[in-house]
Amino acid sequence: MITAGPRAAWILLLGGVLGWLAAGALTVERFKLFTDPGYTPSCSFNPILSCGSVMVTDQAAVFGFPNPLIGVVGFSVVVTLGILSVAGVGFPSWIWGGLWLGTALGVGFICWLIFESLYRINALCPYCMVVWAVVTPLLAVTTDQLWGRRPGPLGVLAEWRWTIVVLFFAVVLLLVFLRFQDYWLSLV
């Protein structure tokens, strides 16, 4: 049984709650837009920060249904495991492995969605960016639970997990700035 430390348990719980709330809000906004094509989502602020522009694309429903439904289900699992972890419950390694696989697939999916948002859709969804921001720390936590303090390459990966998360954020922020720099600089 692997029991998460207090910090890891709280990151798991808070990250799961934030991701679930963002996915839930996106789901509600998507259904409002579906029932009323003239609806302007609450997360559409300007030409760049406009989830309405993102929601109507093919990329917003890759598997034939709105992508946020994946988040609602996935983050429900994370919240459940987070609550139990905060309570001090330990889990077998296969549960941590399943959570790690889910978050790793989530990171891969959001990397593709980041590329699509920046270079195909040309708009950013604020709620989506909340999901982008929480999935990588969740992967870092699960990586540590599985391989922290172990010898070998996976132990090194676990040791450098937060550096990798910071680099991920830095690269995404740089790409967002560079892609929309004309707009950002026009605001100054």
Side-chain angles (χ1 to χ4, degrees):
M1 296 295 246
I2 301 171
T3 303
R7 183 175 5 164
W10 280 104
I11 291 171
L12 198 62
L13 177 57
L14 295 175
V17 168
L18 285 172
W20 185 83
L21 288 172
L26 270 170
T27 301
V28 168
E29 294 287 342
R30 179 61 185 112
F31 283 114
K32 285 182 180 179
L33 188 62
F34 181 70
T35 58
D36 177 9
Y39 175 72
T40 301
S42 64
C43 48
S44 293
F45 301 110
N46 59 46
I48 304 303
L49 297 173
S50 175
C51 61
S53 302
V54 176
M55 285 185 200
V56 297
T57 65
D58 291 339
Q59 294 92 328
V62 175
F63 301 106
F65 55 86
N67 294 345
L69 293 175
I70 299 168
V72 169
V73 172
F75 286 118
S76 296
V77 172
V78 175
V79 168
T80 302
L81 294 176
I83 290 169
L84 293 171
S85 294
V86 167
V89 175
F91 304 108
S93 59
W94 68 267
I95 289 190
W96 288 110
L99 185 58
W100 184 90
L101 181 61
T103 54
L105 290 171
V107 167
F109 190 48
I110 65 169
C111 285
W112 177 76
L113 290 170
I114 289 167
F115 174 84
E116 292 295 313
S117 291
L118 293 175
Y119 304 108
R120 300 289 185 265
I121 302 169
N122 300 311
L124 299 170
C125 168
Y127 290 134
C128 298
M129 292 188 295
V130 171
V131 172
W132 301 352
V134 298
V135 173
T136 48
L138 292 174
L139 181 60
V141 167
T142 56
T143 298
D144 185 48
Q145 295 309 303
L146 283 173
W147 300 300
R149 296 159 297 285
R150 288 194 184 180
L154 296 174
V156 172
L157 178 67
E159 184 178 337
W160 286 88
R161 67 195 179 281
W162 294 115
T163 304
I164 295 167
V165 169
V166 169
L167 286 173
F168 175 82
F169 286 155
V171 167
V172 170
L173 287 172
L174 180 64
L175 290 173
V176 167
F177 174 76
L178 291 175
R179 175 63 186 91
F180 301 113
Q181 68 182 324
D182 292 339
Y183 179 77
W184 305 132
L185 294 174
S186 74
L187 298 176
V188 180

